[in-house]
């Protein structure tokens, strides 16, 4: 008798985390990951860029030390400690309009005494402005951030807007307060040790993706690239076949499917599925320029187009979130604007080095209350079909942490079902 099979559709972080979790928790089961493209990682991947002549990530991805599911995933795939960041939690900033520089330096513990120390805070901010996000924790479901806290003033511009925009990829006033509250609860409210900034200096693929593939293959899983699912076929309460166009996989009675594709694709595959359907862009500018000595690994910029600057070996990269307004700006013009700002921040020559602009139009779903309400859980009305993806109802915005948790949730659901089937009298 052949072993039970679980088919994971989509080798983004959500699909990979589901597959890794299943490979560790479920016995006598073959895991097959089907990925439409030639490369795993989805929106979290690296590639060789000809303009820069180096491998870069599709976007600069920031994790925080309190992202416990991401940390557990890295540990599971043998990449514990592979992310890099400053030894202590700190966020250097510059206001490009006034050239004021500061460094947020939270203390590690939960008792946030650092907000009492003006030298650890943003300049010209008051203590009570640091309590503003408390209201996000109690915000009623479906309300925007602007209903829970004041979205103006110096502390908002120098602290809360940069943090919330980076976390939600949506302008904070209109973004969902409960999603912001979840981020605050898991990071800022846990103390500085929970929001030490971490990046994959060796690249997203080398750190998060390729080790996961190797881990899965070592456990007997199969990864099929360029294997694009065209349709799911249903028979009563079950998915009965996977139609890949060129070939079709018939599912045995105890086979199951984790659908870990983006929401726009999930909607075409699953009838009557509610998913987010509005997105926000992220724009990254990459510049082949060796970071000047002492330039921090990551720096926040306010009153500029650039929001964050990341220093990589041989490269300075910038991120702009909620960046739909930049989608139609000519690439050269955008590169020049971003570089002029980077040069001003870093005190370097304005002559444009080799550059690349990467615009991800549908980087994340728009973290609006009405979009958050459209997110389904892992469970579907079909017994052997579960969903994963950063857009499912994780309670978090679309992030690596959320994607990994969604994969874990999908795996847990299949595990419970497998246990239930084993316990049923035959
Ligand atoms: C530029 C950018 C910057 C970001 N910055 C951050 C950040 O700083 N921090 C952070 O935590 N998150 C960040 N994110 C968000 C993060 O990348 C995503 O939340 C996460 O990667 C989503 O993973 P996923 O597996 O849910 O979806 P995806 O990565 O979209 O994976 C879905 C996979 O399914 C495949 N697929 C689609 N259709 C089919 C099909 N029919 N058959 C087979 N396979 C299919 C796709 O090719 C893809 O590989 C950023 C995203 C972008 C784009």
């Amino acid at each position: 008798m052949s072993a039970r099979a679980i088919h994971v559709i989509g080798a983004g972080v959500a699909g990979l985390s589901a597959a890794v979790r299943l490979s560790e928790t479920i016995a006598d089961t073959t895991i097959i990951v089907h990925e439409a493209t030639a490369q795993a990682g989805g929106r979290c991947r690296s590639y060789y860029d000809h303009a820069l002549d180096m491998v870069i990530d599709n976007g600069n991805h920031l994790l925080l030390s309190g992202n416990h599911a991401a940390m557990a995933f890295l540990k599971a795939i043998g990449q514990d400690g592979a992310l890099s960041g400053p030894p202590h939690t700190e966020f250097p900033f510059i206001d490009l309009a006034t050239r004021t520089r500061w460094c947020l330096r939270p203390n590690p513990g939960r008792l946030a005494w650092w907000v009492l120390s003006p030298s650890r805070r943003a300049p010209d901010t008051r203590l009570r402005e640091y309590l503003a996000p408390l209201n996000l924790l109690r915000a009623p479901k479906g309300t925007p951030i602007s209903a829970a806290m004041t979205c103006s003033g110096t502390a908002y511009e120098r602290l809360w807007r940069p943090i919330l925009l980076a976390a939600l990829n949506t302008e904070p006033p209109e973004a969902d307060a409960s999603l912001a509250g979840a981020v605050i609860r898991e990071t800022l409210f846990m103390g500085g040790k929970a929001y030490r900034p971490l990046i994959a200096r060796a690249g997203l693929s080398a750190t998060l993706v390729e080790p996961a593939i190797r881990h899965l293959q070592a456990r007997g899983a199969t990864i099929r690239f360029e294997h694009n699912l065209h349709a799911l076929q249903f028979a009563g309460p079950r998915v009965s076949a996977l139609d890949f166009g060129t070939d079709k996989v018939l599912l045995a009675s105890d086979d199951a499917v984790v659908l870990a594709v983006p929401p726009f694709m999930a909607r075409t595959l699953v009838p009557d599925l509610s998913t987010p359907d509005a997105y926000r862009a992220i724009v990254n500018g990459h510049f082949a320029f060796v970071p000047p000595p002492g330039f921090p690994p990551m720096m926040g910029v306010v009153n500029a187009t650039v929001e964050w600057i990341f220093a990589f070996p041989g490269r300075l990269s910038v991120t702009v979130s909620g960046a739909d307004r930049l989608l139609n700006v000519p690439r050269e013009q955008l590169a020049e604007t971003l570089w002029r700002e980077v040069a001003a921040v870093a005190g370097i020559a304005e002559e444009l080095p080799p550059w690349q602009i990467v615009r991800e139009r549908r980087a994340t779903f728009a973290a609006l209350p009405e979009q958050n309400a459209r997110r389904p859980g892992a469970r579907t009305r079909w017994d052997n079909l579960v969903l994963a993806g950063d857009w499912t109802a994780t309670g978090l915005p679309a992030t690596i942490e959320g994607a990994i948790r969604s994969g874990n949730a999908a795996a847990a659901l299949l595990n419970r079902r497998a246990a239930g089937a084993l316990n049923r009298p035959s």
Side-chain angles (χ1 to χ4, degrees):
M1 207 180 81
S2 63
R4 170 180 197 245
I6 297 182
H7 297 268
V8 178
I9 315 296
V13 179
L16 292 174
S17 74
V20 166
R21 186 53 68 87
L22 286 164
S23 74
E24 286 165 355
T25 52
I26 204 156
D28 301 325
T29 301
T30 306
I31 296 165
I32 305 134
V33 182
H34 307 268
E35 166 55 43
T37 68
Q39 187 187 354
R43 278 169 282 157
C44 180
R45 65 181 189 284
S46 314
Y47 71 96
Y48 174 77
D49 189 276
H50 286 277
L52 300 170
D53 189 23
M54 63 177 81
V55 173
I56 62 171
D57 294 334
N58 67 312
N60 303 315
H61 279 62
L62 178 70
L63 287 113
L64 297 175
S65 46
N67 291 158
H68 57 83
M71 299 308 140
F73 175 75
L74 284 164
K75 191 168 183 193
I77 61 172
Q79 293 292 296
D80 202 9
L83 299 175
S84 37
H88 307 291
T89 301
E90 56 182 31
F91 292 89
F93 269 95
I94 181 170
D95 181 333
L96 210 51
T98 61
R99 305 288 162 118
T100 313
R101 290 174 191 262
W102 66 96
C103 186
L104 296 177
R105 288 186 298 117
N107 58 293
R110 285 190 76 174
L111 188 65
W113 54 259
W114 69 279
V115 298
L116 300 171
S117 162
S119 67
R120 288 173 169 256
R121 303 199 305 242
D124 307 323
T125 56
R126 285 185 299 260
L127 175 60
R128 66 179 164 75
E129 294 172 300
Y130 287 73
L131 306 178
L134 277 176
N135 289 335
L136 295 174
L137 304 178
R138 320 184 261 267
K141 229 178 153 51
T143 52
I145 290 177
S146 58
M149 66 180 267
T150 307
C151 293
S152 61
T154 311
Y156 176 74
E157 294 300 337
R158 291 187 164 174
L159 174 72
W160 298 121
R161 181 177 180 270
I163 289 177
L164 294 171
L165 178 58
L168 297 155
N169 193 29
T170 303
E171 272 303 331
E174 61 173 355
D176 187 275
S178 65
L179 292 178
V183 173
I184 302 270
R185 189 177 295 112
E186 295 194 9
T187 54
L188 274 69
F189 272 71
M190 299 307 288
K193 66 176 180 323
Y195 52 103
R196 192 162 68 89
L198 297 170
I199 52 176
R201 187 163 298 279
L204 292 169
S205 291
T207 308
L208 278 135
V209 179
E210 284 150 14
I213 299 284
R214 287 196 297 273
H215 177 89
L216 288 168
Q217 286 170 334
R219 276 156 188 75
T222 303
I223 324 288
R224 296 194 62 182
F225 291 105
E226 301 186 44
H227 209 217
N228 185 14
L229 183 70
H230 288 204
L232 293 165
Q233 289 182 357
F234 301 94
R238 300 180 49 74
V239 178
S240 55
L242 305 174
D243 180 355
F244 291 97
T246 46
D247 62 310
K248 188 186 268 196
V249 176
L250 300 178
L251 301 189
S253 62
D254 55 356
D255 290 351
V257 180
V258 178
L259 189 65
V261 298
F264 47 88
M265 177 56 64
R267 254 199 328 274
T268 70
L269 295 166
V270 180
D272 308 325
L273 183 66
S274 160
T275 75
D277 57 2
Y279 302 89
R280 290 292 183 268
I282 296 180
V283 168
N284 281 256
H286 305 277
F287 302 95
F289 190 94
V290 176
F295 195 84
M298 176 187 162
M299 185 160 193
V301 187
V302 302
N303 278 321
T305 306
V306 165
E307 289 161 2
W308 298 95
I309 306 178
F310 294 85
F312 290 97
R315 172 167 55 101
L316 286 166
S317 281
V318 310
T319 295
V320 187
S321 298
D324 295 69
R325 69 189 182 285
L326 302 181
L327 290 176
N328 296 324
V329 177
R331 287 164 49 75
E332 291 72 15
Q333 186 185 324
L334 190 52
E336 274 164 18
T337 302
L338 298 178
W339 181 251
R340 223 179 8 255
E341 293 182 355
V342 172
V345 170
I348 50 186
E350 281 193 16
E351 195 187 332
L352 189 62
W355 56 272
Q356 184 57 277
I357 298 289
V358 183
R359 300 190 250 217
E360 292 266 9
R361 282 170 188 273
R362 292 190 284 199
T364 69
F365 74 85
L368 305 169
E370 64 272 21
Q371 291 294 313
N372 192 36
R374 296 175 65 91
R375 299 167 81 183
R379 194 184 296 274
T380 69
R381 68 176 197 259
W382 292 276
D383 292 344
N384 62 342
L385 175 66
V386 297
L387 304 173
D390 62 355
W391 53 275
T392 58
T394 62
L396 292 177
T399 51
I400 292 178
E401 175 71 8
I404 290 176
R405 283 195 210 173
S406 77
N408 292 343
L413 193 52
L414 288 182
N415 272 322
R416 283 201 294 280
R417 288 195 181 155
L422 282 178
N423 292 336
R424 265 200 302 275
S426 48

